[in-house]
Amino acid sequence: MSEIIPERIGRIAPYEPVQGDYPVRLDANESFVGLPQSLRDELAGIVSGFAFNRYPDPLAGEVTALFAAYHGVDPAYLTAGNGSDELIALILGSFLDRGECVLTASPDFSMYRFYASLSGARCAQIQKDESLCVAAEALLSAALREKARLIIFSNPCNPTAQGMPAKEVLWLTDSFDGLVVVDEAYMDFWDQSVLDEAALRPNLIVLRTCSKALGLASLRLGFAAACPPLTQALRKVKSPYNVGGLTQAMAAAVLRHPDVLREAAARVVASCRSLHGALTELAGKYSGIRVYPTRTNFVTVASPYAGRLYDGLLSRGICVRRLDALLRITAGSETENAVLISAFGELLAQGAGGPDTTQGR
Ligand SMILES: *Cc1c(COP(=O)(O)O)cnc(C)c1O
């Protein structure tokens, strides 16, 4: 089969989300807030009269205009994608030639490396230290050293929950010759967006998604903001009907209720704050666990016992995300958070992360 399936595909490890039934799912950074019934009824009405036989609007004009209005930007600079994942794949697949270098940081969103390797680009990584932060200067010097043509990172970052101030992002963009792609999937939870700067810069693409704060992960809708030449290029290389008609119609209906969306985002922020507080309190009682500050809808925890904690949570029906020594815990409903905290406390008390005897290992 080696001649039929390119070697670079053989080398790729498939993305394997957790399968199975876990009563508490805090592993995918989804919103725990459901749509209100009145809005669900509105959506049902749209489905019942929907023209399923017609191709959708190739530029998803209506939903793009509503998304732009929600964020206070001009829709002319936005390109809609089938999730921001499609846009990441599109950018890394079309804006790089084979063997050209893309720079990411590590840890960061794993799909950057995935799509870069699919396209045959070379992926260079800069390792973050224990602070889990990366400075713009460090990214720039790594980019120059590696002769990178493209820098991509998430801000605030998944899975670290840390962020780079807008000023630094813009400095990096203005100091770099190549393309800078800033993935703002979690920027609804922080205030350092550069979304409105994208139109003004020749080498900046800002990605946003409806999957996190807006609670529409299942619809698959994301946007890229960029200057006119980049926007034209993106629209040229995307497949013509990339965003499904139902997705466009459903998301447009939801975006017509910005008050509902803002209230949902505020509930997520409050939940995350309380989860962070409770985890910090636990970490104060036991050694071997560090809770990071968060700019997102999840809390990142580092522990040499991450594996034991992860398995222990899973056996109690609680699913979080594990990346080596990090656990990424999505803010859930009050009940979900309480279940998580109680199980976490139990595991720590049983010695999954301390007390003191384990220090220094
Ligand atoms: C969730 C996430 C995305 C994916 O968003 P979709 O629009 O659902 O494809 C992109 N980037 C980061 C950093 C994410 O965490």
Side-chain angles (χ1 to χ4, degrees):
M1 287 300 277
S2 59
E3 308 87 24
I4 294 177
I5 299 173
E7 201 192 316
R8 64 175 190 282
I9 294 178
R11 279 197 304 264
I12 286 172
Y15 184 79
E16 279 168 354
V18 178
Q19 303 282 331
D21 260 343
Y22 297 98
V24 178
R25 291 292 301 257
L26 302 175
D27 62 312
N29 295 344
E30 295 145 337
S31 171
F32 66 90
V33 184
L35 294 175
Q37 192 55 49
S38 56
L39 190 41
R40 286 175 182 277
D41 294 343
E42 205 180 311
L43 298 183
I46 293 171
V47 173
S48 82
F50 198 74
F52 289 98
N53 56 322
R54 301 295 176 194
Y55 279 108
D57 174 1
L59 291 181
E62 188 183 21
V63 71
T64 302
L66 285 158
F67 186 86
Y70 183 69
H71 289 289
V73 295
D74 186 332
Y77 304 104
L78 293 179
T79 303
N82 192 287
S84 51
D85 249 274
E86 185 203 14
L87 297 164
I88 296 166
L90 210 56
I91 293 163
L92 295 177
S94 329
F95 290 21
L96 287 169
D97 286 329
R98 253 174 130 29
E100 283 186 331
C101 178
V102 49
L103 177 72
T104 67
S106 175
D108 203 326
F109 192 43
S110 60
M111 299 313 286
Y112 306 146
R113 225 175 323 145
F114 176 89
Y115 291 123
S117 47
L118 267 189
S119 72
R122 182 171 69 84
C123 190
Q125 288 185 55
I126 171 170
Q127 192 62 42
K128 294 178 185 174
D129 65 15
E130 263 183 23
S131 71
L132 296 184
C133 293
V134 61
E137 280 160 50
L139 273 176
L140 181 64
S141 50
L144 297 176
R145 193 171 59 240
E146 299 283 351
K147 301 191 168 45
R149 289 220 37 226
L150 194 157
I151 304 174
I152 183 167
F153 61 100
S154 55
N155 193 42
C157 171
N158 168 17
T160 68
Q162 308 310 298
M164 186 186 286
K167 239 172 84 178
E168 276 193 50
V169 174
L170 296 177
W171 174 85
L172 174 65
T173 306
D174 296 341
S175 311
F176 182 54
D177 271 345
L179 180 59
V180 175
V181 181
V182 184
D183 181 351
E184 294 191 341
Y186 300 91
M187 196 51 94
D188 297 87
F189 306 114
W190 200 30
D191 61 0
Q192 294 294 310
S193 180
V194 294
L195 184 65
D196 57 354
E197 299 283 341
L200 310 170
R201 287 179 160 75
N203 64 330
L204 177 63
I205 298 181
V206 179
L207 300 176
R208 300 292 287 235
T209 176
C210 295
S211 298
K212 305 288 158 61
L214 304 198
L216 302 175
S218 190
L219 285 186
R220 314 302 306 125
L221 183 62
F223 293 91
C227 65
L230 276 174
T231 297
Q232 268 165 31
L234 277 171
R235 291 179 182 181
K236 222 194 278 188
V237 294
K238 79 176 188 64
S239 71
Y241 305 113
N242 59 330
V243 181
L246 264 187
T247 290
Q248 295 186 30
M250 300 285 112
V254 173
L255 280 160
R256 276 198 201 90
H257 299 274
D259 44 332
V260 171
L261 293 171
R262 291 208 172 88
E263 196 206 311
R267 280 177 63 193
V268 174
V269 168
S271 156
C272 194
R273 195 171 297 143
S274 117
L275 177 68
H276 183 266
L279 285 168
T280 305
E281 203 182 309
L282 278 180
K285 290 192 208 150
Y286 299 93
S287 64
I289 164 163
R290 176 172 178 182
V291 178
Y292 286 85
T294 175
R295 312 289 196 190
T296 61
N297 66 336
F298 57 87
V299 180
T300 301
V301 171
S303 168
Y305 316 103
R308 265 191 272 163
L309 288 165
Y310 177 82
D311 291 340
L313 291 172
L314 213 53
S315 72
R316 286 164 169 75
I318 305 163
C319 191
V320 302
R321 186 80 200 271
R322 180 187 166 204
L323 305 107
D324 300 320
L326 298 183
L327 294 178
R328 193 194 69 192
I329 307 168
T330 308
S333 68
E334 219 169 294
T335 317
E336 288 171 328
N337 287 356
V339 171
L340 178 278
I341 289 297
S342 136
F344 214 84
E346 251 175 66
L347 289 165
L348 290 171
Q350 286 169 11
D356 296 314
T357 51
T358 52
Q359 229 168 19
R361 258 213 246 161

